Amino acid sequence: MAIAATHIKGSGWPRSSSSNGSFDQKNSTNHSITIDRVINLYPLTNYTFGTKEPLFEKDPSVPARFQRMRDEFEKIGMRRSVEGILLVHEHGLPHVLLLQLGTTFFKLPGGELTPGEDEVEGLKRLLTETLGRQDGVKQDWVIEDTIGNWWRPNFEPPQYPYVPSHITKPKEHKRLFLVQLGEKALFAVPKNYKLVAAPLFELYDNAQGYGPIISSLPQALCRFKFIYM
């Protein structure tokens, strides 16, 4: 929103007309490079949710997951992962679509990239595998922007939004992308998951319930202007 300034003769700063000109020109230049990112959010009721065959994790346990990460790190180096932020709204409030497994585990749709795979194309592939419809109609995933980068310094659960200074070889890099949903869509959810819409106010400062990454989404998304369609 543009804010009009009122100049009163004999008061304010700067006083000289020449200074005023350069000041206004500088402000105009800065305003021209400002980007207001607008994201359209559609009601949750616009979307249809079906089911499909279960989608199981590659590893049967957490220790097995980190052992596979160790083995792959020796062969191909750091693991690269991508996840998608899918937003809808209910009652004028933004909600994030999350996959729920069991009663307490929540995750964003996405997963691991193959060696050399492009991040955007890889995310589209993973979103199709996870939520893509089963009737042969191709899903159009619009990857809008990067939301954040998280790093796993060791073969352990903790991840951070930065690389610790003493870490020279992170074990995993996870990039989060905002996905612009269309006005209507059909999603097919694996039978072993539930797809839930979690409001931002429930995620905010709730690492105990959703983990550090998902609970940080309200802060990461606050730079966008949401239009409720």
Side-chain angles (χ1 to χ4, degrees):
M1 178 182 297
I3 301 176
T6 302
H7 297 284
I8 302 176
K9 185 176 180 180
S11 65
W13 181 91
R15 294 180 184 273
S16 68
S17 59
S18 60
S19 297
N20 244 344
S22 62
F23 182 75
D24 290 344
Q25 184 177 7
K26 181 179 179 182
N27 272 357
S28 177
T29 302
N30 287 341
H31 180 73
S32 68
I33 63 174
T34 299
I35 300 176
D36 291 326
R37 298 304 311 277
V38 175
I39 301 298
N40 294 330
L41 301 187
Y42 297 95
L44 177 61
T45 52
N46 277 27
Y47 302 99
T48 304
F49 303 94
T51 59
K52 61 183 176 184
E53 292 303 308
L55 183 65
F56 297 106
E57 298 286 336
K58 293 182 178 180
D59 312 293
S61 65
V62 173
R65 177 160 62 96
F66 287 118
Q67 183 57 53
R68 182 170 64 85
M69 186 181 291
R70 287 178 184 273
D71 297 339
E72 292 179 350
F73 186 81
E74 295 179 0
K75 299 176 182 177
I76 61 176
M78 180 184 66
R79 174 176 294 177
R80 297 183 305 130
S81 302
V82 289
E83 293 181 341
I85 315 299
L86 282 60
L87 296 174
V88 299
H89 81 82
E90 275 198 297
H91 310 297
L93 295 172
H95 287 57
V96 181
L97 296 183
L98 300 174
L99 291 165
Q100 180 180 353
L101 183 62
T103 57
T104 59
F105 180 73
F106 298 89
K107 62 177 290 186
L108 294 164
E112 303 170 23
L113 297 175
T114 60
E117 186 175 21
D118 178 78
E119 290 177 327
V120 171
E121 294 305 315
L123 178 57
K124 291 180 179 180
R125 171 183 63 81
L126 290 161
L127 289 174
T128 298
E129 292 177 3
T130 307
L131 296 174
R133 52 197 297 168
Q134 300 291 283
D135 56 4
V137 177
K138 185 178 180 181
Q139 204 92 1
D140 184 23
W141 304 106
V142 179
I143 311 303
E144 187 69 32
D145 203 345
T146 300
I147 293 298
N149 293 276
W150 287 75
W151 306 84
R152 190 188 305 275
N154 301 301
F155 299 110
E156 298 171 351
Q159 299 176 77
Y160 303 92
Y162 56 87
V163 181
S165 59
H166 63 286
I167 298 298
T168 58
K169 295 181 178 181
K171 307 308 181 288
E172 182 179 5
H173 174 209
K174 179 178 293 182
R175 177 164 287 179
L176 309 182
F177 291 94
L178 179 61
V179 180
Q180 173 65 73
L181 293 179
E183 181 179 359
K184 296 180 181 295
L186 168 63
F187 300 112
V189 184
K191 291 180 180 179
N192 55 328
Y193 284 98
K194 286 197 302 183
L195 193 64
V196 299
L200 291 189
F201 66 80
E202 184 177 315
L203 304 182
Y204 177 69
D205 200 26
N206 192 1
Q208 183 175 0
Y210 293 94
I213 296 180
I214 294 177
S215 65
S216 72
L217 291 180
Q219 294 94 318
L221 292 167
C222 70
R223 65 188 178 94
F224 295 99
K225 179 181 180 180
F226 296 127
I227 305 296
Y228 303 103
M229 308 301 287

Coordinates of all heavy atoms in Angstrom, one line a residue, residues 101-145:
L101 N 0.2 -39.6 9.7 CA 0.4 -41.0 9.9 C 0.2 -41.4 11.3 O 0.9 -40.9 12.2 CB 1.8 -41.4 9.4 CG 2.1 -42.9 9.4 CD1 1.2 -43.7 8.4 CD2 3.6 -43.2 9.0
G102 N -0.8 -42.2 11.6 CA -1.0 -42.5 13.0 C -1.7 -41.4 13.7 O -2.5 -40.6 13.0
T103 N -1.4 -41.1 15.0 CA -2.1 -40.1 15.7 C -1.3 -38.9 16.0 O -1.8 -37.8 16.3 CB -2.6 -40.6 17.1 OG1 -1.5 -41.2 17.8 CG2 -3.7 -41.7 16.8
T104 N 0.1 -39.0 15.8 CA 0.9 -37.9 16.3 C 2.0 -37.5 15.2 O 2.7 -36.5 15.5 CB 1.7 -38.3 17.6 OG1 2.5 -39.5 17.3 CG2 0.7 -38.6 18.7
F105 N 2.1 -38.2 14.1 CA 3.1 -37.9 13.1 C 2.6 -37.2 11.9 O 1.6 -37.6 11.3 CB 3.8 -39.2 12.7 CG 4.9 -38.9 11.7 CD1 6.1 -38.4 12.1 CD2 4.7 -39.2 10.3 CE1 7.1 -38.1 11.1 CE2 5.8 -39.0 9.4 CZ 7.0 -38.4 9.8
F106 N 3.1 -36.0 11.7 CA 2.7 -35.2 10.5 C 3.9 -34.9 9.6 O 5.0 -34.7 10.1 CB 2.1 -33.9 11.0 CG 0.9 -34.0 11.9 CD1 1.0 -34.2 13.2 CD2 -0.4 -34.0 11.3 CE1 -0.1 -34.3 14.0 CE2 -1.5 -34.2 12.1 CZ -1.4 -34.3 13.5
K107 N 3.6 -34.8 8.3 CA 4.7 -34.5 7.4 C 4.1 -33.7 6.2 O 2.9 -33.8 5.9 CB 5.4 -35.8 6.9 CG 4.4 -36.8 6.1 CD 5.2 -38.0 5.6 CE 6.1 -37.6 4.5 NZ 6.8 -38.8 3.8
L108 N 5.0 -33.0 5.5 CA 4.7 -32.3 4.3 C 4.9 -33.3 3.1 O 5.7 -34.2 3.2 CB 5.6 -31.1 4.1 CG 5.4 -30.0 5.1 CD1 6.6 -29.0 5.1 CD2 4.1 -29.3 4.9
P109 N 4.1 -33.2 2.1 CA 4.3 -34.0 0.9 C 5.6 -33.7 0.2 O 6.0 -32.6 0.0 CB 3.1 -33.7 0.0 CG 2.6 -32.4 0.5 CD 2.9 -32.3 1.9
G110 N 6.3 -34.8 -0.1 CA 7.6 -34.6 -0.8 C 8.5 -35.8 -0.5 O 7.9 -36.9 -0.2
G111 N 9.8 -35.6 -0.6 CA 10.7 -36.8 -0.4 C 12.1 -36.5 -0.9 O 12.5 -35.4 -1.2
E112 N 12.8 -37.6 -1.2 CA 14.1 -37.6 -1.6 C 14.2 -37.4 -3.2 O 13.4 -38.0 -3.9 CB 14.9 -38.9 -1.2 CG 14.8 -39.2 0.3 CD 15.4 -40.6 0.6 OE1 16.1 -41.1 -0.3 OE2 15.0 -41.1 1.6
L113 N 15.2 -36.6 -3.6 CA 15.5 -36.5 -5.0 C 16.5 -37.6 -5.4 O 17.3 -38.1 -4.6 CB 16.1 -35.1 -5.3 CG 15.3 -33.9 -5.0 CD1 16.1 -32.6 -5.2 CD2 14.0 -33.9 -5.9
T114 N 16.4 -38.0 -6.7 CA 17.4 -38.9 -7.2 C 18.7 -38.1 -7.6 O 18.6 -36.9 -7.7 CB 16.9 -39.6 -8.5 OG1 16.5 -38.6 -9.4 CG2 15.6 -40.4 -8.1
P115 N 19.8 -38.8 -7.7 CA 21.1 -38.1 -8.0 C 21.0 -37.3 -9.3 O 20.5 -37.8 -10.3 CB 22.1 -39.2 -8.1 CG 21.6 -40.3 -7.2 CD 20.1 -40.2 -7.4
G116 N 21.3 -36.0 -9.2 CA 21.2 -35.1 -10.4 C 19.9 -34.6 -10.8 O 19.7 -33.8 -11.7
E117 N 18.8 -35.0 -10.0 CA 17.4 -34.6 -10.4 C 17.2 -33.1 -10.0 O 17.6 -32.6 -9.0 CB 16.4 -35.4 -9.6 CG 15.0 -35.2 -10.1 CD 14.0 -36.1 -9.4 OE1 14.3 -36.7 -8.3 OE2 12.9 -36.3 -9.9
D118 N 16.6 -32.4 -10.9 CA 16.2 -31.0 -10.7 C 15.2 -30.9 -9.6 O 14.3 -31.7 -9.4 CB 15.6 -30.4 -12.0 CG 15.1 -29.0 -11.8 OD1 16.0 -28.1 -11.8 OD2 13.9 -28.8 -11.6
E119 N 15.4 -29.9 -8.7 CA 14.5 -29.8 -7.5 C 13.1 -29.6 -7.8 O 12.2 -30.2 -7.2 CB 15.1 -28.6 -6.6 CG 16.4 -28.9 -6.0 CD 16.9 -27.7 -5.2 OE1 16.6 -26.6 -5.6 OE2 17.6 -28.0 -4.1
V120 N 12.8 -28.7 -8.7 CA 11.4 -28.4 -9.1 C 10.7 -29.6 -9.7 O 9.6 -30.0 -9.4 CB 11.3 -27.1 -9.9 CG1 9.9 -26.9 -10.5 CG2 11.7 -25.9 -9.2
E121 N 11.4 -30.2 -10.7 CA 10.8 -31.3 -11.4 C 10.7 -32.5 -10.5 O 9.8 -33.3 -10.5 CB 11.7 -31.7 -12.6 CG 11.7 -30.6 -13.7 CD 10.3 -30.3 -14.2 OE1 9.5 -31.2 -14.4 OE2 10.0 -29.1 -14.3
G122 N 11.7 -32.6 -9.6 CA 11.6 -33.7 -8.6 C 10.4 -33.5 -7.6 O 9.8 -34.5 -7.3
L123 N 10.2 -32.3 -7.2 CA 9.0 -32.1 -6.3 C 7.7 -32.4 -7.1 O 6.8 -33.0 -6.5 CB 9.0 -30.6 -5.8 CG 7.8 -30.2 -5.0 CD1 7.8 -31.1 -3.7 CD2 7.9 -28.8 -4.5
K124 N 7.6 -32.0 -8.3 CA 6.4 -32.3 -9.1 C 6.2 -33.8 -9.2 O 5.1 -34.3 -9.0 CB 6.5 -31.7 -10.5 CG 6.4 -30.2 -10.5 CD 6.5 -29.7 -12.0 CE 6.5 -28.2 -12.0 NZ 6.6 -27.7 -13.4
R125 N 7.3 -34.6 -9.4 CA 7.2 -36.0 -9.4 C 6.7 -36.6 -8.1 O 5.8 -37.4 -8.0 CB 8.6 -36.6 -9.8 CG 8.7 -38.1 -9.6 CD 10.1 -38.7 -9.9 NE 11.1 -38.2 -9.0 CZ 11.3 -38.7 -7.7 NH1 10.5 -39.7 -7.3 NH2 12.2 -38.2 -7.0
L126 N 7.3 -36.1 -7.0 CA 7.0 -36.6 -5.7 C 5.5 -36.2 -5.3 O 4.8 -37.0 -4.6 CB 8.0 -36.0 -4.6 CG 9.4 -36.6 -4.7 CD1 10.4 -35.7 -4.0 CD2 9.4 -38.0 -4.2
L127 N 5.1 -35.0 -5.6 CA 3.7 -34.6 -5.4 C 2.7 -35.5 -6.1 O 1.7 -35.9 -5.6 CB 3.5 -33.2 -5.7 CG 4.1 -32.1 -4.8 CD1 3.9 -30.7 -5.4 CD2 3.6 -32.2 -3.4
T128 N 3.1 -35.9 -7.4 CA 2.2 -36.8 -8.1 C 2.2 -38.2 -7.5 O 1.1 -38.8 -7.4 CB 2.7 -36.8 -9.6 OG1 2.6 -35.5 -10.2 CG2 1.9 -37.8 -10.4
E129 N 3.4 -38.7 -7.1 CA 3.4 -40.0 -6.4 C 2.6 -40.0 -5.2 O 1.9 -41.0 -4.8 CB 4.9 -40.3 -6.2 CG 5.7 -40.6 -7.4 CD 7.1 -40.9 -7.1 OE1 7.5 -41.0 -5.8 OE2 7.9 -41.1 -8.0
T130 N 2.6 -38.9 -4.4 CA 2.0 -38.8 -3.1 C 0.5 -38.5 -3.2 O -0.3 -39.2 -2.6 CB 2.7 -37.8 -2.2 OG1 4.1 -38.1 -2.2 CG2 2.1 -37.9 -0.8
L131 N 0.1 -37.5 -4.0 CA -1.2 -37.0 -4.0 C -1.9 -37.0 -5.4 O -3.0 -36.6 -5.5 CB -1.3 -35.6 -3.4 CG -0.9 -35.4 -1.9 CD1 -0.9 -33.9 -1.6 CD2 -1.9 -36.2 -1.0
G132 N -1.1 -37.4 -6.4 CA -1.6 -37.4 -7.8 C -2.9 -38.3 -8.0 O -3.0 -39.3 -7.4
R133 N -3.8 -37.8 -8.8 CA -5.0 -38.5 -9.0 C -4.7 -39.8 -9.8 O -3.7 -39.9 -10.5 CB -6.0 -37.6 -9.8 CG -5.5 -36.9 -11.0 CD -6.3 -35.7 -11.4 NE -7.7 -36.1 -11.8 CZ -8.7 -35.3 -12.0 NH1 -8.5 -34.0 -11.8 NH2 -9.9 -35.7 -12.4
Q134 N -5.7 -40.7 -9.8 CA -5.5 -42.0 -10.4 C -6.3 -42.3 -11.7 O -6.2 -43.4 -12.2 CB -5.9 -43.1 -9.4 CG -5.1 -43.1 -8.0 CD -3.7 -43.5 -8.3 OE1 -3.4 -44.7 -8.4 NE2 -2.7 -42.5 -8.3
D135 N -6.9 -41.2 -12.2 CA -7.8 -41.4 -13.4 C -7.1 -41.1 -14.7 O -7.7 -41.0 -15.7 CB -9.1 -40.6 -13.3 CG -8.8 -39.1 -13.0 OD1 -7.6 -38.7 -13.0 OD2 -9.7 -38.4 -12.8
G136 N -5.7 -40.9 -14.6 CA -5.0 -40.6 -15.8 C -4.9 -39.2 -16.2 O -4.1 -38.8 -17.1
V137 N -5.6 -38.3 -15.5 CA -5.5 -36.9 -15.7 C -4.3 -36.3 -15.1 O -4.0 -36.5 -13.9 CB -6.8 -36.1 -15.2 CG1 -6.6 -34.6 -15.4 CG2 -8.0 -36.6 -15.9
K138 N -3.4 -35.6 -15.8 CA -2.2 -35.1 -15.3 C -2.4 -33.9 -14.4 O -3.1 -33.0 -14.7 CB -1.3 -34.7 -16.5 CG 0.1 -34.3 -16.0 CD 1.0 -33.9 -17.2 CE 2.4 -33.5 -16.7 NZ 3.2 -33.1 -17.9
Q139 N -1.8 -34.0 -13.2 CA -1.9 -32.9 -12.3 C -0.9 -31.8 -12.6 O 0.2 -32.0 -13.0 CB -1.5 -33.4 -10.9 CG -2.1 -32.6 -9.7 CD -3.5 -33.2 -9.3 OE1 -3.9 -34.2 -9.8 NE2 -4.1 -32.6 -8.3
D140 N -1.4 -30.6 -12.6 CA -0.6 -29.4 -12.9 C -0.1 -28.7 -11.6 O -0.8 -28.0 -11.0 CB -1.4 -28.4 -13.7 CG -0.5 -27.2 -14.2 OD1 0.7 -27.4 -14.2 OD2 -1.1 -26.1 -14.5
W141 N 1.1 -29.0 -11.2 CA 1.7 -28.5 -10.0 C 2.5 -27.2 -10.3 O 3.4 -27.2 -11.1 CB 2.6 -29.5 -9.3 CG 2.0 -30.8 -9.0 CD1 2.3 -32.0 -9.7 CD2 1.1 -31.1 -8.0 NE1 1.5 -33.0 -9.1 CE2 0.8 -32.5 -8.1 CE3 0.5 -30.3 -7.0 CZ2 0.0 -33.1 -7.2 CZ3 -0.4 -31.0 -6.1 CH2 -0.6 -32.3 -6.2
V142 N 2.1 -26.1 -9.7 CA 2.7 -24.8 -10.0 C 3.6 -24.5 -8.8 O 3.1 -24.2 -7.7 CB 1.7 -23.7 -10.2 CG1 2.4 -22.3 -10.4 CG2 0.8 -24.0 -11.4
I143 N 4.9 -24.6 -9.0 CA 5.9 -24.3 -7.9 C 6.1 -22.8 -7.9 O 6.7 -22.3 -8.8 CB 7.2 -25.1 -8.1 CG1 6.9 -26.6 -8.4 CG2 8.1 -25.0 -6.8 CD1 6.0 -27.3 -7.3
E144 N 5.7 -22.2 -6.8 CA 5.7 -20.7 -6.8 C 7.0 -20.1 -6.3 O 7.5 -19.1 -6.8 CB 4.5 -20.2 -5.9 CG 4.3 -18.8 -5.9 CD 3.7 -18.3 -7.3 OE1 3.0 -19.0 -7.9 OE2 4.1 -17.1 -7.6
D145 N 7.5 -20.6 -5.2 CA 8.7 -19.9 -4.5 C 9.3 -20.8 -3.5 O 8.7 -21.8 -3.1 CB 8.2 -18.6 -3.9 CG 9.3 -17.6 -3.7 OD1 10.5 -18.0 -3.8 OD2 9.0 -16.4 -3.4

